Amino acid sequence: MYQRKKRRPVAEINVVPYIDVMLVLLIIFMATAPLITHGVKVDLPKMEESDLVDTKDTPPIIASIDADGQYYVSIGTDPEAPMEALDVAAVIKLQLQKNPETPVMIKGSGKVSYQEVLLLMDFLKNAGVPSVGLMTESFEGNNG
């Protein structure tokens, strides 16, 4: 009688289909990565001491917008006097000509429209401010 040998199951995984799938995914990601639009890089400082803005040497210039849309700047003759956005940009430009390393921050009320903040950022950009930070409050401070 003829006796057949029993086949043992093959315990190997065929890896070739997985490599094909990975290469296809790699090509898709490489093709779509340049199409993704990049947002504006904004460093949001916390209420505690931050590494992003070193305030020991030069305190930052703070441009503020209140809930009524009035603009203020922390430097100048009267920091409590409302100004136009163009005047705020001019005052900050003069200060940056004296000390170009001074950081510039925008502190806007939560009730002010987004358009007002963008308008001030545009005036500052046209005045030659290289980067602008946005001030926020930490969530821990709002719980009490």
Side-chain angles (χ1 to χ4, degrees):
M1 244 198 314
Y2 179 75
Q3 195 173 28
R4 274 177 45 185
K5 289 185 177 181
K6 288 187 176 180
R7 283 191 193 173
R8 290 187 315 177
V10 178
E12 297 175 4
I13 297 175
N14 191 359
V15 186
V16 175
Y18 298 114
I19 293 173
D20 291 343
V21 169
M22 292 304 293
L23 288 174
V24 168
L25 288 174
L26 179 67
I27 291 171
I28 290 172
F29 287 130
M30 286 173 53
T32 58
L35 302 177
I36 297 172
T37 58
H38 298 285
V40 176
K41 183 182 179 221
V42 177
D43 297 321
L44 297 176
K46 305 287 186 227
M47 293 301 290
E48 303 93 31
E49 191 71 27
S50 176
D51 296 331
L52 298 174
V53 177
D54 187 14
T55 59
K56 293 180 179 129
D57 294 335
T58 56
I61 301 170
I62 300 174
S64 303
I65 308 171
D66 66 2
D68 298 327
Q70 298 286 333
Y71 297 97
Y72 303 89
V73 67
S74 65
I75 57 173
T77 55
D78 188 8
E80 307 253 333
M83 304 172 74
E84 295 293 322
L86 191 58
D87 296 332
V88 170
V91 168
I92 292 175
K93 181 178 181 179
L94 286 174
Q95 182 65 27
L96 287 179
Q97 286 175 350
K98 295 176 190 174
N99 187 1
E101 298 299 318
T102 306
V104 178
M105 310 293 278
I106 294 179
K107 182 171 80 172
S109 170
K111 296 181 181 181
V112 74
S113 72
Y114 186 60
Q115 180 66 34
E116 297 294 325
V117 176
L118 287 180
L119 180 68
L120 181 59
M121 288 178 75
D122 187 49
F123 279 124
L124 291 174
K125 184 185 100 181
N126 290 336
V129 176
S131 67
V132 176
L134 296 176
M135 296 181 73
T136 62
E137 289 184 5
S138 63
F139 286 116
E140 295 85 32
N142 294 333
N143 289 339

